[in-house]
Amino acid sequence: KAGVTQTPRYLIKTRGQQVTLSCSPISGHRSVSWYQQTPGQGLQFLFEYFSETQRNKGNFPGRFSGRQFSNSRSEMNVSTLELGDSALYLCASSNPGTDTQYFGPGTRLTVL
Amino acid sequence: EDKVVQSPLSLVVHEGDTVTLNCSYEVTNFRSLLWYKQEKKAPTFLFMLTSSGIEKKSGRLSSILDKKELFSILNITATQTGDSAIYLCAVTYGNKLVFGAGTILRVKS
């Protein structure tokens, strides 16, 4: 089975711009979660989607949003980028009823 | 607030040494604890623990959970340079994982 894929792998943006990141889960997985990883804060939960519905949201400002499509693919969007949004954004997928989440390679976002 | 604390934060050992990584947690409605290894980018899954006292083992790695004392350990025996990585502990809270800061392990040849 193919693993979780994320595109793009690297992204450079300037402050004030917006960005959209994409995640394709493992085939058959219907839950997709997003995490932000920074050296100072570690891995922090952004949100989780299941069957196109956001079930859980972390403590991030409204500039961070996401959605899930009927094929379970997910996108996250960050508007009005700030320097502090520079991070590795990781997507993870899982099967319903199991806690094990499998991570993609991440998108490295740099905000200048 | 739910909290996961890992220790030590970093560790340098020589090939062949045995290491023990620690993870303590304070989470309401605990369901499971997971260990991941992160080398370059994607954290890769190692173990999921749900019951106290039952050791999970994979090759030179093993892990055990103590639900009474609220901690878990990850042991790596006969370490190799390929074990150099960040080891992350996470606890399930609802539909999300709450992560510790990680332990940076460096194995010198």
Side-chain angles (χ1 to χ4, degrees):
Chain A
K1 252 186 195 177
V4 178
T5 58
Q6 292 186 244
T7 57
R9 296 291 307 277
Y10 302 90
L11 210 45
I12 300 175
K13 293 285 187 179
T14 55
R15 277 182 300 175
Q17 288 187 308
Q18 75 163 21
V19 66
T20 299
L21 313 181
S22 181
C23 170
S24 293
I26 292 171
S27 177
H29 285 191
R30 292 169 59 197
S31 173
V32 173
S33 299
W34 288 89
Y35 295 84
Q36 180 196 66
Q37 187 175 31
T38 59
Q41 299 295 320
L43 263 155
Q44 292 191 291
F45 173 77
L46 280 156
F47 25 66
E48 186 254 355
Y49 286 89
F50 176 77
S51 290
E52 302 179 64
T53 301
Q54 186 183 91
R55 293 198 296 186
N56 211 344
K57 190 177 193 312
N59 191 23
F60 280 82
R63 300 184 297 106
F64 291 81
S65 63
R67 59 178 176 168
Q68 186 181 35
F69 302 95
S70 58
N71 62 358
S72 295
R73 192 177 69 83
S74 177
E75 287 181 348
M76 69 162 278
N77 184 77
V78 188
S79 62
T80 320
L81 284 166
E82 300 178 358
L83 295 179
D85 297 334
S86 294
L88 180 66
Y89 290 88
L90 291 161
C91 162
S93 74
S94 62
N95 264 327
T98 172
D99 291 339
T100 305
Q101 296 185 15
Y102 296 92
F103 285 83
T107 295
R108 170 73 63 188
L109 172 64
T110 302
V111 182
L112 302 176
Chain B
E1 187 174 305
D2 304 312
K3 198 161 65 168
V4 179
V5 178
Q6 292 187 243
S7 63
L9 290 181
S10 66
L11 194 54
V12 180
V13 301
H14 288 94
E15 271 193 315
D17 287 349
T18 293
V19 299
T20 298
L21 310 182
N22 304 292
C23 175
S24 64
Y25 61 91
E26 294 174 23
V27 173
T28 52
N29 300 318
F30 173 87
R31 197 164 72 224
S32 59
L33 183 146
L34 294 89
W35 285 96
Y36 288 86
K37 176 183 181 183
Q38 186 175 25
E39 292 176 85
K40 298 269 195 246
K41 289 283 163 66
T44 54
F45 171 73
L46 295 174
F47 300 111
M48 183 175 76
L49 303 150
T50 56
S51 302
S52 274
I54 298 174
E55 186 184 52
K56 292 265 181 120
K57 203 167 165 63
S58 176
R60 297 176 294 101
L61 277 67
S62 63
S63 183
I64 198 160
L65 174 68
D66 185 327
K67 287 167 74 172
K68 184 179 174 189
E69 300 297 329
L70 308 183
F71 78 91
S72 173
I73 59 171
L74 175 69
N75 278 321
I76 308 174
T77 59
T79 51
Q80 302 170 357
T81 54
D83 295 326
S84 296
I86 301 172
Y87 289 84
L88 296 162
C89 170
V91 177
T92 304
Y93 181 68
N95 299 317
K96 69 178 183 183
L97 295 176
V98 178
F99 281 88
T103 294
I104 302 170
L105 174 65
R106 183 178 160 217
V107 182
K108 295 168 73 171
S109 58

